Each structure stands twice: as C-alpha cells, then as structure tokens.
Amino acid sequence: MEKTLIQLIKAVASKLHNSKLKRLGGKEMVLSLNCLKELLGLYNTEEAIIFTALFDRSCSGRSCDIDDIASYFDCTQLDIMEYVPVIKSLLKKGFIVQTNLSECRIARQDYMVTNYVINCILENIKPEYRKARMLDKEFDRYDFCKLVDSQIQDSDVTAEALFQFIETLEQDNHEMQIVKDLKNTITDIQSRALFYEVCFDFFNQDGDGRSSLNRTLSDMYEVFGLQFRERKLLVEGTHPLIKADLIELSGDNSDIFLTDCGKHLFLGDDYGAFGQQYSELNPYSFARKVKDYIYSRDHDIEKKQALSKLAIRIRNMENYNSNLTCIRKIKELVSEEDYRALFYMLCDACANSDIINISRELARLYPIKERNENIKLFKEEKHKLQRLDLVEMVTMSSLFGEYTVLQLTDKGKLLYFEDDAELFIEKVDRKDLILSSEIKEKKLFFSGRESEQLSLVGETLSEVNYKSLVDRLELKGLPKGVSIILSI
C-alpha cells in the first residue's frame, strides 16, 4: 500500500531530524526523498529535505529561521547557508512564506509552510504552484516600498547595510515593474532607495503624502556629510531623481514629493486611484488643468528649475491627451512649451469669459526676467503667438484708466475649439450695419466757428500731432486718448 503524503513526510522527517545532514545516501532514504519530490512537484531532493524540516516546524505552529533549521538537523548555521537558494526557490513556488518581511538579514528571516500547502498534504493532494500564489498574498510594489521603509526607520541599520539589502531585494524581485523601470532610469542605488522611500510616504498617506527632506536624509544616512551631499544635490536640482522628473521639492525645500512621472512609474496600472488625472481630458478640461497647475504651489517661479519643470509638465499632459487634434495642431505651430502654456491659459479664459490681464498672468507664468522679455515682445507685436495670429493684445478702458489684456483671435479660437469656436466668435448683425463702402460721399458746409473747431480736430488727429499729444498725456499720467463731443 502506497504511503500518503503525510505518512511519507513523517518517515522522511524521522530520518532527517538530528541527522547532521549526513548518511542521506542510503537506498531507502534516496527513494523516499525522490518520491516526496515527485508527489510535491519539487525541483530536487534538496528542496524535499528543507521542506520537510519547515513542514515539521510549521505543524507545531512555529516559524523558523536559519538557526532553527540548523537546530532541527543538529548541524551548524554554515551548513544551512548552502541551502539558502533552496529556501528562495520554495518561496517563489509559494510553498512557504517569510513571516517577518521587515527583516533584511538572511540569518534572521523566519519561514513557514503556507496553510494551503499544509491542507493539500493533509488531504493527500499535490499542491499547485499557481494556486498557492493566488491564495497567499503576492508581494507587490507597495510591500516592496514598505519593506524599504522599515529598514530606513530601523536605527540599527547602517546606510551601507540598507543599500545592500535593497540591491538584494531588487534582485529577488527583478521582474517587478517598478524595479525594472527604475533601474532603467536611475543607475545608483542611493537614489533608488530615496525614490522607494518617497513612494512609501506617498501611498501611506492616501496618495497625498510628502517626505520631510531633513528627516528622510537623517533616517537614511548616519553620517552628516552624506546627508549634506544629498541635500545639496536636491536643493540645486541636480539630483538624478529630479533630473529624471521623478521627484521635486516644495517651494521652501522642506518636503520631497513625487512628480506626475514619478507617480506613473510607481503606481503603474493603479495610477487612476491616486492624485489628479491628466489623461482622457477634453479641450476645456485640459486648458483648465494647465491653468490649475500654473496657479498651484507646484509651479514656483522663484525656483531655478521652474520653467524646465513647466516644460516637462506641459509635454506630459499633452502626451496623455495626444488624441486631441487641437493639441497636435498647436504643437505643430508652436515648439515652445511656455508659449503653449500661455495659449492654453487664454483658451481657458475664453471658455469661461474671463479677462487675461497681461501683467498679472505673465507674472504667474514666468520669473521676472522672462516676464519682462515677453511683455516687451507683446508690446512690440513681435511675440510668436501674435505673429501666428493666434493671440492679440487689446487696450481696454475703465473708470480707473486703461489696462491691457490678451485674448484669442478668431483664428486661435478656431484652432483650439474647432467645431465649438462659433460659440466664442462674435458675429456681426449686418441687418443694422451700414458699410463704409456703401456710403455715398456728400460735400458738407459748416459755419465759420464750426469749421475752425473741425480743423482743430483734424490737426490734432494727424499722425505727428496725435503722437505728440499722447506722449504729453502719458507724462502727466492721464489717459492716452482723445474724447470729442458732437452735438446737433
């Protein structure tokens, strides 16, 4: 009568317990180990040996580490270290689990056989690898970052030990998407460690978390000089993670947080569950998202990298919405991201009947030097958006004087709003309109006094005299215009 799985394991365990892993080459022992290997679907007899010890301990409700396994066989820990690849293989199969995921030292990691596998053996059923993985929680990107954080928070773990642990963790999870993508982008382990920690803080606070710059560097590095080096790179904007647009600093340099690119790399398919969405927008919501970003604290014009960050953000938002023909058209016409950002702001203003004050809006978009350069271009009518006839500058009057606004031209409205452009283009009602070309010329005669007054108006409005008048009005701080009252 053939033995059941539990009977076979009991027989093998009786031979292995206190065996010092010696005298295992006997015919009966070899036959039993091979039989166990086949019935469980293991790769080799070494897996059968280690699995038996772990199963024996797990049946008593206890996990065990390298020292416990060595005690089971009555051998040294050094003897068991040869079997570490076997333990990892059992982990990958889903036959065992590590119960203390926060432990990075191999000798202190605890293992147990999964409940699914124990139940299969008790029912004399061969465990299925896929099923074991399904019933036991799969180690994912969140567990990965949580494990990195546990090492960073452990005051007994040095920076050197931390980076060695993360390298090993990456090797063990080399097929995980976040590991593959990050290693392709960031070559040094120190920067990758920081990224994993920022990711943990992000999702640990419901997708709105930020990492304290000083506290994070203090937790990662026990040596102040290393903390200062990393801080300098981050503040100057030369850190690999900042250059790759994966993280950025808050305006006062106190916090680190993920950029939109960083969120995409970390979250993958889960991106939709966190933060702002920049994909699948329509022209109206896209223009609003651009304006919201420019008005947010994330766009800090006082920082050196403000315009380069803006350019990256605009490109990313456009890429997420490349299906919009209006975006493809404006990109073909205008290569400068900051010009496109301004155009999108004007589109949002047009859609919402808002007025764009040139000085105020450019102050939100640009640092002072670039702002003055753009204002000068607009006043000289040399700005690219003007030359393309997409934007026009209009002077408006109010009780408090004149002010200058930017607005879309009809061509700009047609380009961006396409079929909806007619909603924003003012149509002229020709029913009550008399064209100048349709007015027949009549010779008018005036009295002497009226002729003198009309001559004065004519002379005042001549090109030379009018310019001189406007200059004098401007010097006195008065509105630069001529008002004429006509009466019958």
Side-chain angles (χ1 to χ4, degrees), residues 292-455:
D292 287 345
Y293 172 73
I294 291 170
Y295 271 76
S296 72
R297 62 177 179 173
D298 294 338
H299 179 61
D300 185 357
I301 60 173
E302 300 301 324
K303 297 185 76 73
K304 293 180 180 178
Q305 305 296 320
L307 289 182
S308 60
K309 279 175 52 181
L310 172 68
I312 293 170
R313 177 61 63 94
I314 294 299
R315 287 199 300 270
N316 287 338
M317 292 176 68
E318 290 171 334
N319 290 338
Y320 298 149
N321 296 276
S322 57
N323 60 303
L324 297 177
T325 55
C326 57
I327 290 178
R328 293 201 299 271
K329 290 177 182 177
I330 189 63
K331 286 178 69 176
E332 290 173 1
L333 290 172
V334 182
S335 58
E336 300 86 351
E337 289 86 357
D338 57 316
Y339 288 178
R340 297 204 299 272
L342 177 58
F343 179 76
Y344 297 137
M345 290 174 70
L346 291 170
C347 291
D348 178 73
C350 177
N352 293 282
S353 301
D354 291 336
I355 292 176
I356 292 288
N357 182 293
I358 183 171
S359 299
R360 185 180 67 243
E361 299 303 317
L362 293 185
R364 299 291 311 185
L365 183 60
Y366 291 111
I368 187 167
K369 178 184 176 184
E370 289 79 3
R371 178 177 74 220
N372 291 337
E373 289 174 353
N374 277 271
I375 290 176
K376 184 173 185 291
L377 287 173
F378 274 114
K379 286 187 173 182
E380 295 175 352
E381 297 189 354
K382 295 179 180 178
H383 196 280
K384 189 170 188 176
L385 294 177
Q386 287 174 304
R387 289 188 280 109
L388 291 170
D389 192 27
L390 299 177
V391 171
E392 61 184 346
M393 190 169 65
V394 178
T395 300
M396 303 186 75
S397 300
S398 71
L399 293 173
F400 303 100
E402 295 181 341
Y403 59 98
T404 304
V405 300
L406 287 177
Q407 61 185 28
L408 294 181
T409 62
D410 287 350
K411 179 180 176 181
K413 295 171 185 176
L414 285 167
L415 175 71
Y416 192 76
F417 295 108
E418 299 176 319
D419 293 341
D420 287 352
E422 62 182 20
L423 300 174
F424 310 108
I425 295 176
E426 296 182 8
K427 294 183 178 179
V428 178
D429 187 359
R430 294 203 50 187
K431 185 171 62 175
D432 298 319
L433 181 67
I434 301 175
L435 299 180
S436 60
S437 58
E438 297 175 354
I439 300 175
K440 294 181 178 180
E441 182 179 352
K442 288 184 179 180
K443 186 69 174 176
L444 300 179
F445 299 92
F446 300 95
S447 65
R449 184 168 179 275
E450 290 170 340
S451 293
E452 290 178 6
Q453 290 176 331
L454 288 173
S455 297

Side-chain angles (χ1 to χ4, degrees), residues 33-257:
L33 287 171
N34 280 322
C35 186
L36 185 60
K37 179 193 75 170
E38 294 298 326
L39 290 175
L40 290 176
L42 301 176
Y43 290 156
N44 48 50
T45 55
E46 285 78 9
E47 286 190 1
I49 291 170
I50 296 299
F51 179 81
T52 299
L54 291 170
F55 183 85
D56 196 349
R57 292 293 296 255
S58 298
C59 285
S60 63
R62 291 181 294 170
S63 60
C64 55
D65 59 15
I66 297 295
D67 183 50
D68 295 324
I69 298 172
S71 297
Y72 182 87
F73 293 116
D74 191 23
C75 62
T76 67
Q77 288 191 35
L78 192 60
D79 292 327
I80 301 302
M81 292 302 289
E82 292 184 38
Y83 289 86
V84 168
V86 172
I87 294 173
K88 290 185 176 182
S89 178
L90 291 171
L91 277 168
K92 289 181 179 178
K93 286 183 176 69
F95 277 36
I96 65 174
V97 291
Q98 182 185 339
T99 57
N100 59 338
L101 287 175
S102 62
E103 181 56 65
C104 64
R105 290 157 289 194
I106 294 175
R108 296 189 181 181
Q109 293 172 351
D110 293 327
Y111 307 97
M112 282 188 75
V113 176
T114 65
N115 290 331
Y116 163 73
V117 174
I118 292 176
N119 288 331
C120 284
I121 291 172
L122 294 177
E123 295 174 13
N124 201 34
I125 300 172
K126 182 178 180 179
E128 296 180 14
Y129 164 67
R130 186 182 69 86
K131 209 166 187 179
R133 293 297 293 178
M134 285 175 63
L135 294 181
D136 289 289
K137 181 183 180 301
E138 188 171 354
F139 189 76
D140 59 20
R141 63 173 73 90
Y142 307 106
D143 298 314
F144 187 101
C145 294
K146 184 177 181 180
L147 191 50
V148 171
D149 174 73
S150 69
Q151 300 308 303
I152 291 176
Q153 302 305 323
D154 190 338
S155 58
D156 293 331
V157 177
T158 64
E160 188 65 30
L162 169 68
F163 300 140
Q164 288 179 2
F165 167 74
I166 294 175
E167 283 187 327
T168 302
L169 190 62
E170 287 179 330
Q171 291 170 6
D172 293 343
N173 297 275
H174 63 278
E175 290 300 320
M176 190 176 287
Q177 197 62 47
I178 183 178
V179 174
K180 291 195 293 187
D181 291 345
L182 189 61
K183 290 186 76 172
N184 286 337
T185 306
I186 304 298
T187 57
D188 66 290
I189 186 65
Q190 296 94 331
S191 296
R192 297 202 299 273
L194 177 60
F195 182 76
Y196 296 135
E197 176 66 359
V198 175
C199 289
F200 172 80
D201 289 336
F202 167 78
F203 81 83
N204 193 46
Q205 298 178 43
D206 297 325
D208 194 34
R210 296 187 172 209
S211 304
S212 167
L213 175 61
N214 291 337
R215 187 166 62 248
T216 300
L217 295 182
S218 177
D219 290 339
M220 289 181 63
Y221 298 97
E222 66 274 12
V223 179
F224 180 76
L226 296 176
Q227 296 178 34
F228 181 78
R229 181 201 66 187
E230 287 293 294
R231 179 183 173 84
K232 185 172 183 289
L233 292 174
L234 289 164
V235 171
E236 290 179 347
T238 56
H239 193 280
L241 291 175
I242 290 181
K243 293 172 73 174
D245 190 37
L246 296 178
I247 66 169
E248 55 186 313
L249 298 187
S250 59
D252 58 1
N253 295 330
S254 62
D255 294 324
I256 314 171
F257 56 95

Side-chain angles (χ1 to χ4, degrees), residues 279-296:
S279 57
E280 299 181 6
L281 301 175
N282 58 46
Y284 299 95
S285 55
F286 179 86
R288 171 57 57 167
K289 289 288 186 183
V290 172
K291 181 176 180 179
D292 287 345
Y293 172 73
I294 291 170
Y295 271 76
S296 72

